Amino acid sequence: DAKTTQPPSMDCAEGRAANLPCNHSTISGNEYVYWYRQIHSQGPQYIIHGLKNNETNEMASLIITEDRKSSTLILPHATLRDTAVYYCIVRVSGNTPLVFGKGTRLSVIA
Amino acid sequence: KAGVTQTPRYLIKTRGQQVTLSCSPISGHRSVSWYQQTPGQGLQFLFEYFSETQRNKGNFPGRFSGRQFSNSRSEMNVSTLELGDSALYLCASGPAVSSTNEKLFFGSGTQLSVL
């Protein structure tokens, strides 16, 4: 079973920041937080991952709380192409499978 | 680099038949994972292969099997198809440097319909 809790859906205005929350209150010290997204009719796409420090790449930023029990994925300037289902996953290492939950369906509105 | 290639893109079979799906990973990648996606169960892990060996296996019946070839290409087979096997089957490849896969790259999947 997935070890994360995400809201089922969210809306965001185009050009605004999209902040997607994820709760992982039972996360272990050696588990990473991963984010993937799935645009309709495509396979999931890796976005970002982190252990305890905040991370940023060209796609997004990942903010992990100090107690590591929750995190937020930030898309700084959402576009219509960011409309997708976003999955937050906790994972021990790259050797273990990805366990997907139901994710958050983000709708970016013009 | 070419992405992950899955063939065929669409497939229609009848109950009781068997099916083989193919996945070509990104050049240089040695790990291939398979996932099943259905509206009811979401994305579920089937199995993972690394250097021709099954490294992880999900909770699926023995009708689901797979293999990986020396060139890292992978196939999965489903025998005695059931209506519930209708799903999008996704393949993901990873570089598996030092046996870790920080990023997985997914193909667009094979949409299997069982009638």
Side-chain angles (χ1 to χ4, degrees):
Chain A
D1 289 347
K3 299 168 66 173
T4 62
T5 303
Q6 299 178 252
S9 64
M10 294 181 63
D11 292 337
C12 177
E14 189 177 20
R16 304 297 294 269
N19 297 281
L20 292 93
C22 179
N23 181 287
H24 31 79
S25 58
T26 60
I27 192 170
S28 301
N30 61 345
E31 287 184 312
Y32 290 75
V33 179
Y34 283 76
W35 284 83
Y36 280 75
R37 73 180 183 183
Q38 187 173 23
I39 296 170
H40 184 62
S41 298
Q42 297 181 22
Q45 176 190 26
Y46 167 86
I47 301 173
I48 198 167
H49 76 282
L51 183 62
K52 49 185 170 184
N53 296 322
N54 298 337
E55 302 287 345
T56 295
N57 63 20
E58 65 281 1
M59 288 184 68
S61 295
L62 173 60
I63 308 298
I64 303 174
T65 58
E66 195 168 336
D67 64 7
R68 304 210 323 122
K69 292 185 177 183
S70 65
S71 60
T72 302
L73 178 74
I74 301 172
L75 308 178
H77 305 287
T79 71
L80 298 178
R81 286 176 294 183
D82 292 321
T83 292
V85 178
Y86 287 77
Y87 297 97
C88 170
I89 301 164
V90 296
R91 186 187 189 203
V92 170
S93 73
N95 287 342
T96 57
L98 294 170
V99 179
F100 289 86
K102 297 188 184 303
T104 295
R105 183 172 299 276
L106 175 69
S107 298
V108 180
I109 303 166
Chain B
K1 268 188 181 178
V4 178
T5 303
Q6 291 189 246
T7 56
R9 184 72 177 93
Y10 301 94
L11 202 51
I12 299 174
K13 292 285 188 179
T14 57
R15 279 181 301 174
Q17 287 187 311
Q18 67 93 24
V19 67
T20 299
L21 311 181
S22 178
C23 172
S24 292
I26 292 171
S27 176
H29 284 191
R30 297 164 62 192
S31 168
V32 173
S33 303
W34 289 90
Y35 289 78
Q36 180 197 65
Q37 186 170 28
T38 61
Q41 298 298 319
L43 274 155
Q44 294 185 286
F45 171 74
L46 281 156
F47 26 66
E48 181 202 2
Y49 289 87
F50 174 72
S51 292
E52 301 179 66
T53 300
Q54 189 178 85
R55 185 160 71 172
N56 288 297
K57 188 177 189 306
N59 188 26
F60 276 82
R63 299 185 297 107
F64 292 81
S65 63
R67 59 178 176 168
Q68 186 180 34
F69 303 96
S70 59
N71 61 358
S72 294
R73 192 177 71 84
S74 177
E75 289 181 346
M76 69 162 283
N77 185 278
V78 188
S79 62
T80 319
L81 284 166
E82 301 176 359
L83 296 178
D85 297 333
S86 294
L88 179 66
Y89 289 88
L90 291 157
C91 166
S93 81
V97 174
S98 302
S99 298
T100 62
N101 279 321
E102 297 308 320
K103 298 181 187 180
L104 288 183
F105 298 83
F106 283 80
S108 295
T110 293
Q111 183 67 53
L112 172 65
S113 298
V114 182
L115 306 178

